[in-house]
Amino acid sequence: MGWRGILGFEYGIVQAPLGPDLSCPELVAAVANAGGLGLLRAPDWESPDHLRELIRKTRTLTDKPFGVGVVLAFPHQENIKAILDERVAVLQVSWGEITEELISEAHQAGVKVVPQIGSFEEARKAVEVGVDAIIVQGLEAGGHVIGKDGLITLLPRVVDLVGDQDIPVIAAGGIVDERGYIAALALGAQGVCLGTRFLATEESYAHPTYKRKLVEFDKTEYTNVFGRARWPGAPHRVLLTPFFKDWKNLPIHENETNQPVIGRSTIHGMEKEIRRFAGTVPNVTTTGDIESMVMYAGEGVGLIKDILPAAEVVKSLIEGARRLIHQRFNGEI
């Protein structure tokens, strides 16, 4: 079954690289120590020395393997070099083209490459260049969503594409509990990748107000209101907060560049101003009008009722899935 592990990890549970810095070493190490695959998030600018510090700090908290997520839409060459030099277990990439050269360099360093894709065509290209696994992200996912297809239709198509090749397929998008996990396995996935559920954990670097909203609110919307200037053409799914309800019909010509500063934050060691409609989520250092900042979340947010330790999230997924299969399917799918 999927809980028996993928890519050499004990369980088929992946903690998404929550950005820009919400996947802190404490969260990643907690997931790794619980038997899952935890993913740090590389900065959205070249900062190899800082990234090395994150990797090395994580290694002081766990002796288990883990990975780093890189958004290819932003400057990344020096960051990837640092990741390969540090020989982390997994390089997870998204929002960009994966080349055979990158795969070769990673494999020479003993690093597995796992892209997150949002379309069948992306998946086909990933298989052709020889990736080690594929994360299939459905439109239900929180944060920046590259595809337009729902998970229940896209996932089995990618599973069929992979066929009997040794490329695990991992499901992402709206999954927060054992029911979503079992559904993904039934569609052919060998593991699941969770973002919003791990965001709502004790270890994540998200601001306490952000975490509280993940428990309080149960609706999301797919939009392009936030971060239009910094990352154009990158729609995203956010919590339906009062601020977003008031501004969800923002004219298309408006963006964050001419908006007032509503807060400040230290992100990957750099001091940043946060303007209204910026796509910057609040972390624990953020000050200002937190309620008016973007809060990414997937469609499964309504199933999140509390803030848990990350290890408990992993444990509940595994034990809940085993119990559900035994009760509903007599031990079989």
Side-chain angles (χ1 to χ4, degrees), residues 86-122:
E86 290 292 325
R87 298 181 182 273
V88 301
V90 171
L91 167 63
Q92 188 266 351
V93 293
S94 59
W95 286 86
E97 181 182 358
I98 314 126
T99 64
E100 291 183 359
E101 181 182 6
L102 174 59
I103 301 289
S104 176
E105 291 176 356
H107 286 175
Q108 287 175 22
V111 178
K112 296 174 181 176
V113 180
V114 180
Q116 178 173 279
I117 63 89
S119 69
F120 182 82
E121 182 60 23
E122 273 191 292

PDB file of all heavy atoms in Angstrom, residues 86-122:
ATOM      1  N   GLU A  86      25.039  19.982  -1.115  1.00  0.00           N
ATOM      2  CA  GLU A  86      24.686  19.476   0.211  1.00  0.00           C
ATOM      3  C   GLU A  86      24.121  18.055   0.148  1.00  0.00           C
ATOM      4  O   GLU A  86      23.920  17.421   1.187  1.00  0.00           O
ATOM      5  CB  GLU A  86      23.668  20.405   0.870  1.00  0.00           C
ATOM      6  CG  GLU A  86      24.219  21.754   1.268  1.00  0.00           C
ATOM      7  CD  GLU A  86      25.225  21.655   2.398  1.00  0.00           C
ATOM      8  OE1 GLU A  86      25.063  20.790   3.285  1.00  0.00           O
ATOM      9  OE2 GLU A  86      26.199  22.440   2.392  1.00  0.00           O
ATOM     10  N   ARG A  87      23.838  17.596  -1.062  1.00  0.00           N
ATOM     11  CA  ARG A  87      23.370  16.222  -1.276  1.00  0.00           C
ATOM     12  C   ARG A  87      22.155  15.868  -0.416  1.00  0.00           C
ATOM     13  O   ARG A  87      22.114  14.837   0.267  1.00  0.00           O
ATOM     14  CB  ARG A  87      24.511  15.230  -1.019  1.00  0.00           C
ATOM     15  CG  ARG A  87      25.678  15.415  -1.974  1.00  0.00           C
ATOM     16  CD  ARG A  87      26.806  14.423  -1.738  1.00  0.00           C
ATOM     17  NE  ARG A  87      27.926  14.676  -2.639  1.00  0.00           N
ATOM     18  CZ  ARG A  87      28.047  14.182  -3.861  1.00  0.00           C
ATOM     19  NH1 ARG A  87      27.105  13.373  -4.338  1.00  0.00           N
ATOM     20  NH2 ARG A  87      29.101  14.467  -4.612  1.00  0.00           N
ATOM     21  N   VAL A  88      21.148  16.730  -0.471  1.00  0.00           N
ATOM     22  CA  VAL A  88      19.887  16.388   0.173  1.00  0.00           C
ATOM     23  C   VAL A  88      19.251  15.233  -0.597  1.00  0.00           C
ATOM     24  O   VAL A  88      19.669  14.904  -1.719  1.00  0.00           O
ATOM     25  CB  VAL A  88      18.921  17.595   0.221  1.00  0.00           C
ATOM     26  CG1 VAL A  88      19.544  18.757   0.974  1.00  0.00           C
ATOM     27  CG2 VAL A  88      18.507  18.033  -1.181  1.00  0.00           C
ATOM     28  N   ALA A  89      18.246  14.616  -0.031  1.00  0.00           N
ATOM     29  CA  ALA A  89      17.674  13.426  -0.663  1.00  0.00           C
ATOM     30  C   ALA A  89      16.882  13.747  -1.922  1.00  0.00           C
ATOM     31  O   ALA A  89      16.938  13.010  -2.906  1.00  0.00           O
ATOM     32  CB  ALA A  89      16.782  12.686   0.332  1.00  0.00           C
ATOM     33  N   VAL A  90      16.134  14.871  -1.887  1.00  0.00           N
ATOM     34  CA  VAL A  90      15.192  15.163  -2.969  1.00  0.00           C
ATOM     35  C   VAL A  90      15.254  16.634  -3.357  1.00  0.00           C
ATOM     36  O   VAL A  90      15.262  17.519  -2.491  1.00  0.00           O
ATOM     37  CB  VAL A  90      13.743  14.805  -2.551  1.00  0.00           C
ATOM     38  CG1 VAL A  90      12.732  15.301  -3.590  1.00  0.00           C
ATOM     39  CG2 VAL A  90      13.596  13.298  -2.354  1.00  0.00           C
ATOM     40  N   LEU A  91      15.290  16.893  -4.658  1.00  0.00           N
ATOM     41  CA  LEU A  91      15.095  18.224  -5.217  1.00  0.00           C
ATOM     42  C   LEU A  91      13.698  18.246  -5.825  1.00  0.00           C
ATOM     43  O   LEU A  91      13.436  17.539  -6.801  1.00  0.00           O
ATOM     44  CB  LEU A  91      16.147  18.533  -6.285  1.00  0.00           C
ATOM     45  CG  LEU A  91      15.885  19.759  -7.172  1.00  0.00           C
ATOM     46  CD1 LEU A  91      15.870  21.037  -6.343  1.00  0.00           C
ATOM     47  CD2 LEU A  91      16.920  19.846  -8.296  1.00  0.00           C
ATOM     48  N   GLN A  92      12.809  19.030  -5.229  1.00  0.00           N
ATOM     49  CA  GLN A  92      11.450  19.151  -5.758  1.00  0.00           C
ATOM     50  C   GLN A  92      11.363  20.458  -6.527  1.00  0.00           C
ATOM     51  O   GLN A  92      11.811  21.497  -6.037  1.00  0.00           O
ATOM     52  CB  GLN A  92      10.423  19.131  -4.609  1.00  0.00           C
ATOM     53  CG  GLN A  92       8.979  19.061  -5.069  1.00  0.00           C
ATOM     54  CD  GLN A  92       8.335  20.435  -5.193  1.00  0.00           C
ATOM     55  OE1 GLN A  92       8.897  21.448  -4.787  1.00  0.00           O
ATOM     56  NE2 GLN A  92       7.160  20.475  -5.772  1.00  0.00           N
ATOM     57  N   VAL A  93      10.856  20.420  -7.755  1.00  0.00           N
ATOM     58  CA  VAL A  93      10.799  21.608  -8.601  1.00  0.00           C
ATOM     59  C   VAL A  93       9.382  21.824  -9.111  1.00  0.00           C
ATOM     60  O   VAL A  93       8.590  20.888  -9.232  1.00  0.00           O
ATOM     61  CB  VAL A  93      11.780  21.507  -9.790  1.00  0.00           C
ATOM     62  CG1 VAL A  93      13.217  21.528  -9.300  1.00  0.00           C
ATOM     63  CG2 VAL A  93      11.516  20.253 -10.616  1.00  0.00           C
ATOM     64  N   SER A  94       9.081  23.099  -9.417  1.00  0.00           N
ATOM     65  CA  SER A  94       7.758  23.437  -9.948  1.00  0.00           C
ATOM     66  C   SER A  94       7.852  24.725 -10.749  1.00  0.00           C
ATOM     67  O   SER A  94       8.825  25.462 -10.654  1.00  0.00           O
ATOM     68  CB  SER A  94       6.746  23.616  -8.804  1.00  0.00           C
ATOM     69  OG  SER A  94       7.162  24.646  -7.921  1.00  0.00           O
ATOM     70  N   TRP A  95       6.823  24.988 -11.544  1.00  0.00           N
ATOM     71  CA  TRP A  95       6.700  26.215 -12.320  1.00  0.00           C
ATOM     72  C   TRP A  95       7.911  26.461 -13.227  1.00  0.00           C
ATOM     73  O   TRP A  95       8.497  27.539 -13.232  1.00  0.00           O
ATOM     74  CB  TRP A  95       6.480  27.422 -11.400  1.00  0.00           C
ATOM     75  CG  TRP A  95       5.106  27.484 -10.829  1.00  0.00           C
ATOM     76  CD1 TRP A  95       4.669  26.860  -9.692  1.00  0.00           C
ATOM     77  CD2 TRP A  95       3.975  28.188 -11.359  1.00  0.00           C
ATOM     78  NE1 TRP A  95       3.339  27.134  -9.490  1.00  0.00           N
ATOM     79  CE2 TRP A  95       2.892  27.946 -10.490  1.00  0.00           C
ATOM     80  CE3 TRP A  95       3.788  28.998 -12.490  1.00  0.00           C
ATOM     81  CZ2 TRP A  95       1.623  28.484 -10.714  1.00  0.00           C
ATOM     82  CZ3 TRP A  95       2.517  29.546 -12.701  1.00  0.00           C
ATOM     83  CH2 TRP A  95       1.458  29.280 -11.828  1.00  0.00           C
ATOM     84  N   GLY A  96       8.267  25.459 -14.008  1.00  0.00           N
ATOM     85  CA  GLY A  96       9.348  25.642 -14.950  1.00  0.00           C
ATOM     86  C   GLY A  96       9.709  24.342 -15.642  1.00  0.00           C
ATOM     87  O   GLY A  96       9.200  23.272 -15.298  1.00  0.00           O
ATOM     88  N   GLU A  97      10.603  24.434 -16.626  1.00  0.00           N
ATOM     89  CA  GLU A  97      10.985  23.271 -17.419  1.00  0.00           C
ATOM     90  C   GLU A  97      12.087  22.481 -16.725  1.00  0.00           C
ATOM     91  O   GLU A  97      13.068  23.041 -16.238  1.00  0.00           O
ATOM     92  CB  GLU A  97      11.472  23.724 -18.798  1.00  0.00           C
ATOM     93  CG  GLU A  97      11.861  22.572 -19.712  1.00  0.00           C
ATOM     94  CD  GLU A  97      12.378  23.053 -21.051  1.00  0.00           C
ATOM     95  OE1 GLU A  97      12.395  24.276 -21.279  1.00  0.00           O
ATOM     96  OE2 GLU A  97      12.766  22.190 -21.879  1.00  0.00           O
ATOM     97  N   ILE A  98      11.908  21.163 -16.677  1.00  0.00           N
ATOM     98  CA  ILE A  98      12.938  20.281 -16.140  1.00  0.00           C
ATOM     99  C   ILE A  98      13.755  19.747 -17.310  1.00  0.00           C
ATOM    100  O   ILE A  98      13.202  19.186 -18.245  1.00  0.00           O
ATOM    101  CB  ILE A  98      12.330  19.110 -15.361  1.00  0.00           C
ATOM    102  CG1 ILE A  98      11.245  19.617 -14.424  1.00  0.00           C
ATOM    103  CG2 ILE A  98      13.386  18.360 -14.581  1.00  0.00           C
ATOM    104  CD1 ILE A  98       9.940  18.929 -14.603  1.00  0.00           C
ATOM    105  N   THR A  99      15.060  19.921 -17.238  1.00  0.00           N
ATOM    106  CA  THR A  99      15.912  19.496 -18.342  1.00  0.00           C
ATOM    107  C   THR A  99      16.637  18.193 -18.007  1.00  0.00           C
ATOM    108  O   THR A  99      16.831  17.849 -16.837  1.00  0.00           O
ATOM    109  CB  THR A  99      16.962  20.569 -18.654  1.00  0.00           C
ATOM    110  OG1 THR A  99      17.832  20.723 -17.522  1.00  0.00           O
ATOM    111  CG2 THR A  99      16.293  21.905 -18.973  1.00  0.00           C
ATOM    112  N   GLU A 100      17.063  17.509 -19.055  1.00  0.00           N
ATOM    113  CA  GLU A 100      17.863  16.303 -18.855  1.00  0.00           C
ATOM    114  C   GLU A 100      19.181  16.644 -18.171  1.00  0.00           C
ATOM    115  O   GLU A 100      19.714  15.847 -17.392  1.00  0.00           O
ATOM    116  CB  GLU A 100      18.117  15.621 -20.204  1.00  0.00           C
ATOM    117  CG  GLU A 100      16.877  15.010 -20.827  1.00  0.00           C
ATOM    118  CD  GLU A 100      17.181  14.279 -22.118  1.00  0.00           C
ATOM    119  OE1 GLU A 100      18.364  14.281 -22.524  1.00  0.00           O
ATOM    120  OE2 GLU A 100      16.245  13.707 -22.709  1.00  0.00           O
ATOM    121  N   GLU A 101      19.716  17.827 -18.443  1.00  0.00           N
ATOM    122  CA  GLU A 101      20.958  18.255 -17.807  1.00  0.00           C
ATOM    123  C   GLU A 101      20.786  18.357 -16.289  1.00  0.00           C
ATOM    124  O   GLU A 101      21.647  17.910 -15.516  1.00  0.00           O
ATOM    125  CB  GLU A 101      21.399  19.607 -18.371  1.00  0.00           C
ATOM    126  CG  GLU A 101      22.700  20.117 -17.764  1.00  0.00           C
ATOM    127  CD  GLU A 101      23.085  21.487 -18.303  1.00  0.00           C
ATOM    128  OE1 GLU A 101      22.285  22.087 -19.048  1.00  0.00           O
ATOM    129  OE2 GLU A 101      24.194  21.951 -17.967  1.00  0.00           O
ATOM    130  N   LEU A 102      19.671  18.953 -15.848  1.00  0.00           N
ATOM    131  CA  LEU A 102      19.407  19.063 -14.417  1.00  0.00           C
ATOM    132  C   LEU A 102      19.260  17.683 -13.781  1.00  0.00           C
ATOM    133  O   LEU A 102      19.823  17.428 -12.707  1.00  0.00           O
ATOM    134  CB  LEU A 102      18.133  19.879 -14.178  1.00  0.00           C
ATOM    135  CG  LEU A 102      17.654  19.959 -12.726  1.00  0.00           C
ATOM    136  CD1 LEU A 102      18.718  20.576 -11.824  1.00  0.00           C
ATOM    137  CD2 LEU A 102      16.345  20.746 -12.634  1.00  0.00           C
ATOM    138  N   ILE A 103      18.532  16.797 -14.455  1.00  0.00           N
ATOM    139  CA  ILE A 103      18.364  15.436 -13.941  1.00  0.00           C
ATOM    140  C   ILE A 103      19.724  14.755 -13.796  1.00  0.00           C
ATOM    141  O   ILE A 103      20.022  14.125 -12.773  1.00  0.00           O
ATOM    142  CB  ILE A 103      17.474  14.605 -14.879  1.00  0.00           C
ATOM    143  CG1 ILE A 103      16.081  15.245 -15.043  1.00  0.00           C
ATOM    144  CG2 ILE A 103      17.356  13.171 -14.364  1.00  0.00           C
ATOM    145  CD1 ILE A 103      15.211  15.164 -13.841  1.00  0.00           C
ATOM    146  N   SER A 104      20.567  14.892 -14.811  1.00  0.00           N
ATOM    147  CA  SER A 104      21.885  14.258 -14.782  1.00  0.00           C
ATOM    148  C   SER A 104      22.746  14.790 -13.645  1.00  0.00           C
ATOM    149  O   SER A 104      23.392  14.031 -12.914  1.00  0.00           O
ATOM    150  CB  SER A 104      22.589  14.474 -16.129  1.00  0.00           C
ATOM    151  OG  SER A 104      23.895  13.943 -16.104  1.00  0.00           O
ATOM    152  N   GLU A 105      22.759  16.118 -13.487  1.00  0.00           N
ATOM    153  CA  GLU A 105      23.560  16.722 -12.419  1.00  0.00           C
ATOM    154  C   GLU A 105      23.079  16.268 -11.051  1.00  0.00           C
ATOM    155  O   GLU A 105      23.879  15.978 -10.155  1.00  0.00           O
ATOM    156  CB  GLU A 105      23.500  18.244 -12.517  1.00  0.00           C
ATOM    157  CG  GLU A 105      24.232  18.810 -13.729  1.00  0.00           C
ATOM    158  CD  GLU A 105      24.067  20.309 -13.839  1.00  0.00           C
ATOM    159  OE1 GLU A 105      23.323  20.893 -13.008  1.00  0.00           O
ATOM    160  OE2 GLU A 105      24.657  20.904 -14.761  1.00  0.00           O
ATOM    161  N   ALA A 106      21.762  16.213 -10.877  1.00  0.00           N
ATOM    162  CA  ALA A 106      21.205  15.794  -9.599  1.00  0.00           C
ATOM    163  C   ALA A 106      21.550  14.339  -9.309  1.00  0.00           C
ATOM    164  O   ALA A 106      21.965  13.995  -8.196  1.00  0.00           O
ATOM    165  CB  ALA A 106      19.691  16.001  -9.595  1.00  0.00           C
ATOM    166  N   HIS A 107      21.402  13.494 -10.298  1.00  0.00           N
ATOM    167  CA  HIS A 107      21.686  12.070 -10.101  1.00  0.00           C
ATOM    168  C   HIS A 107      23.170  11.830  -9.803  1.00  0.00           C
ATOM    169  O   HIS A 107      23.518  10.943  -9.010  1.00  0.00           O
ATOM    170  CB  HIS A 107      21.231  11.281 -11.321  1.00  0.00           C
ATOM    171  CG  HIS A 107      19.737  11.142 -11.408  1.00  0.00           C
ATOM    172  ND1 HIS A 107      19.106  10.549 -12.479  1.00  0.00           N
ATOM    173  CD2 HIS A 107      18.753  11.512 -10.560  1.00  0.00           C
ATOM    174  CE1 HIS A 107      17.795  10.571 -12.282  1.00  0.00           C
ATOM    175  NE2 HIS A 107      17.558  11.155 -11.124  1.00  0.00           N
ATOM    176  N   GLN A 108      24.035  12.613 -10.417  1.00  0.00           N
ATOM    177  CA  GLN A 108      25.467  12.486 -10.128  1.00  0.00           C
ATOM    178  C   GLN A 108      25.768  12.827  -8.674  1.00  0.00           C
ATOM    179  O   GLN A 108      26.705  12.298  -8.076  1.00  0.00           O
ATOM    180  CB  GLN A 108      26.270  13.386 -11.054  1.00  0.00           C
ATOM    181  CG  GLN A 108      26.340  12.891 -12.493  1.00  0.00           C
ATOM    182  CD  GLN A 108      27.044  13.867 -13.419  1.00  0.00           C
ATOM    183  OE1 GLN A 108      27.826  14.700 -12.964  1.00  0.00           O
ATOM    184  NE2 GLN A 108      26.767  13.768 -14.711  1.00  0.00           N
ATOM    185  N   ALA A 109      24.935  13.726  -8.096  1.00  0.00           N
ATOM    186  CA  ALA A 109      25.107  14.109  -6.695  1.00  0.00           C
ATOM    187  C   ALA A 109      24.328  13.193  -5.754  1.00  0.00           C
ATOM    188  O   ALA A 109      24.352  13.396  -4.541  1.00  0.00           O
ATOM    189  CB  ALA A 109      24.663  15.557  -6.498  1.00  0.00           C
ATOM    190  N   GLY A 110      23.623  12.214  -6.316  1.00  0.00           N
ATOM    191  CA  GLY A 110      22.834  11.312  -5.491  1.00  0.00           C
ATOM    192  C   GLY A 110      21.515  11.902  -5.041  1.00  0.00           C
ATOM    193  O   GLY A 110      20.927  11.451  -4.047  1.00  0.00           O
ATOM    194  N   VAL A 111      21.024  12.911  -5.779  1.00  0.00           N
ATOM    195  CA  VAL A 111      19.790  13.607  -5.428  1.00  0.00           C
ATOM    196  C   VAL A 111      18.681  13.207  -6.399  1.00  0.00           C
ATOM    197  O   VAL A 111      18.886  13.216  -7.620  1.00  0.00           O
ATOM    198  CB  VAL A 111      19.993  15.142  -5.468  1.00  0.00           C
ATOM    199  CG1 VAL A 111      18.687  15.870  -5.152  1.00  0.00           C
ATOM    200  CG2 VAL A 111      21.085  15.552  -4.491  1.00  0.00           C
ATOM    201  N   LYS A 112      17.520  12.864  -5.870  1.00  0.00           N
ATOM    202  CA  LYS A 112      16.377  12.510  -6.709  1.00  0.00           C
ATOM    203  C   LYS A 112      15.589  13.762  -7.069  1.00  0.00           C
ATOM    204  O   LYS A 112      15.450  14.680  -6.259  1.00  0.00           O
ATOM    205  CB  LYS A 112      15.491  11.509  -5.969  1.00  0.00           C
ATOM    206  CG  LYS A 112      16.187  10.177  -5.707  1.00  0.00           C
ATOM    207  CD  LYS A 112      15.358   9.261  -4.848  1.00  0.00           C
ATOM    208  CE  LYS A 112      16.103   7.946  -4.597  1.00  0.00           C
ATOM    209  NZ  LYS A 112      15.375   7.036  -3.685  1.00  0.00           N
ATOM    210  N   VAL A 113      15.066  13.798  -8.290  1.00  0.00           N
ATOM    211  CA  VAL A 113      14.336  14.965  -8.787  1.00  0.00           C
ATOM    212  C   VAL A 113      12.850  14.636  -8.901  1.00  0.00           C
ATOM    213  O   VAL A 113      12.464  13.662  -9.555  1.00  0.00           O
ATOM    214  CB  VAL A 113      14.881  15.418 -10.158  1.00  0.00           C
ATOM    215  CG1 VAL A 113      14.112  16.641 -10.660  1.00  0.00           C
ATOM    216  CG2 VAL A 113      16.367  15.722 -10.068  1.00  0.00           C
ATOM    217  N   VAL A 114      12.034  15.467  -8.249  1.00  0.00           N
ATOM    218  CA  VAL A 114      10.590  15.234  -8.203  1.00  0.00           C
ATOM    219  C   VAL A 114       9.874  16.516  -8.599  1.00  0.00           C
ATOM    220  O   VAL A 114       9.772  17.452  -7.802  1.00  0.00           O
ATOM    221  CB  VAL A 114      10.140  14.788  -6.804  1.00  0.00           C
ATOM    222  CG1 VAL A 114       8.629  14.550  -6.779  1.00  0.00           C
ATOM    223  CG2 VAL A 114      10.890  13.536  -6.367  1.00  0.00           C
ATOM    224  N   PRO A 115       9.369  16.623  -9.829  1.00  0.00           N
ATOM    225  CA  PRO A 115       8.627  17.815 -10.225  1.00  0.00           C
ATOM    226  C   PRO A 115       7.181  17.758  -9.757  1.00  0.00           C
ATOM    227  O   PRO A 115       6.603  16.684  -9.597  1.00  0.00           O
ATOM    228  CB  PRO A 115       8.683  17.763 -11.749  1.00  0.00           C
ATOM    229  CG  PRO A 115       8.700  16.295 -12.048  1.00  0.00           C
ATOM    230  CD  PRO A 115       9.510  15.670 -10.941  1.00  0.00           C
ATOM    231  N   GLN A 116       6.616  18.927  -9.534  1.00  0.00           N
ATOM    232  CA  GLN A 116       5.175  19.041  -9.329  1.00  0.00           C
ATOM    233  C   GLN A 116       4.575  19.555 -10.620  1.00  0.00           C
ATOM    234  O   GLN A 116       5.002  20.593 -11.139  1.00  0.00           O
ATOM    235  CB  GLN A 116       4.862  20.002  -8.186  1.00  0.00           C
ATOM    236  CG  GLN A 116       3.362  20.208  -7.958  1.00  0.00           C
ATOM    237  CD  GLN A 116       3.098  21.016  -6.714  1.00  0.00           C
ATOM    238  OE1 GLN A 116       3.107  20.492  -5.600  1.00  0.00           O
ATOM    239  NE2 GLN A 116       2.875  22.311  -6.871  1.00  0.00           N
ATOM    240  N   ILE A 117       3.596  18.832 -11.145  1.00  0.00           N
ATOM    241  CA  ILE A 117       3.015  19.199 -12.441  1.00  0.00           C
ATOM    242  C   ILE A 117       1.518  19.471 -12.277  1.00  0.00           C
ATOM    243  O   ILE A 117       0.884  19.036 -11.322  1.00  0.00           O
ATOM    244  CB  ILE A 117       3.275  18.094 -13.491  1.00  0.00           C
ATOM    245  CG1 ILE A 117       2.597  16.762 -13.107  1.00  0.00           C
ATOM    246  CG2 ILE A 117       4.765  17.874 -13.675  1.00  0.00           C
ATOM    247  CD1 ILE A 117       1.201  16.584 -13.595  1.00  0.00           C
ATOM    248  N   GLY A 118       0.960  20.202 -13.256  1.00  0.00           N
ATOM    249  CA  GLY A 118      -0.457  20.518 -13.199  1.00  0.00           C
ATOM    250  C   GLY A 118      -1.210  20.166 -14.459  1.00  0.00           C
ATOM    251  O   GLY A 118      -2.369  20.536 -14.627  1.00  0.00           O
ATOM    252  N   SER A 119      -0.540  19.431 -15.369  1.00  0.00           N
ATOM    253  CA  SER A 119      -1.204  19.050 -16.610  1.00  0.00           C
ATOM    254  C   SER A 119      -0.617  17.741 -17.115  1.00  0.00           C
ATOM    255  O   SER A 119       0.503  17.362 -16.756  1.00  0.00           O
ATOM    256  CB  SER A 119      -1.029  20.132 -17.677  1.00  0.00           C
ATOM    257  OG  SER A 119       0.321  20.198 -18.115  1.00  0.00           O
ATOM    258  N   PHE A 120      -1.373  17.082 -17.986  1.00  0.00           N
ATOM    259  CA  PHE A 120      -0.906  15.832 -18.576  1.00  0.00           C
ATOM    260  C   PHE A 120       0.336  16.063 -19.415  1.00  0.00           C
ATOM    261  O   PHE A 120       1.271  15.252 -19.403  1.00  0.00           O
ATOM    262  CB  PHE A 120      -2.024  15.215 -19.420  1.00  0.00           C
ATOM    263  CG  PHE A 120      -1.652  13.894 -20.029  1.00  0.00           C
ATOM    264  CD1 PHE A 120      -1.733  12.727 -19.291  1.00  0.00           C
ATOM    265  CD2 PHE A 120      -1.230  13.818 -21.351  1.00  0.00           C
ATOM    266  CE1 PHE A 120      -1.390  11.506 -19.843  1.00  0.00           C
ATOM    267  CE2 PHE A 120      -0.887  12.608 -21.919  1.00  0.00           C
ATOM    268  CZ  PHE A 120      -0.975  11.441 -21.160  1.00  0.00           C
ATOM    269  N   GLU A 121       0.394  17.173 -20.142  1.00  0.00           N
ATOM    270  CA  GLU A 121       1.544  17.469 -20.994  1.00  0.00           C
ATOM    271  C   GLU A 121       2.804  17.658 -20.161  1.00  0.00           C
ATOM    272  O   GLU A 121       3.892  17.188 -20.526  1.00  0.00           O
ATOM    273  CB  GLU A 121       1.273  18.721 -21.829  1.00  0.00           C
ATOM    274  CG  GLU A 121       2.380  19.105 -22.800  1.00  0.00           C
ATOM    275  CD  GLU A 121       2.681  18.034 -23.831  1.00  0.00           C
ATOM    276  OE1 GLU A 121       1.808  17.181 -24.104  1.00  0.00           O
ATOM    277  OE2 GLU A 121       3.802  18.054 -24.377  1.00  0.00           O
ATOM    278  N   GLU A 122       2.679  18.359 -19.031  1.00  0.00           N
ATOM    279  CA  GLU A 122       3.826  18.506 -18.134  1.00  0.00           C
ATOM    280  C   GLU A 122       4.315  17.153 -17.639  1.00  0.00           C
ATOM    281  O   GLU A 122       5.519  16.896 -17.548  1.00  0.00           O
ATOM    282  CB  GLU A 122       3.439  19.363 -16.927  1.00  0.00           C
ATOM    283  CG  GLU A 122       3.582  20.845 -17.083  1.00  0.00           C
ATOM    284  CD  GLU A 122       3.434  21.527 -15.745  1.00  0.00           C
ATOM    285  OE1 GLU A 122       2.315  21.511 -15.179  1.00  0.00           O
ATOM    286  OE2 GLU A 122       4.438  22.050 -15.238  1.00  0.00           O
TER     287      GLU A 122
END
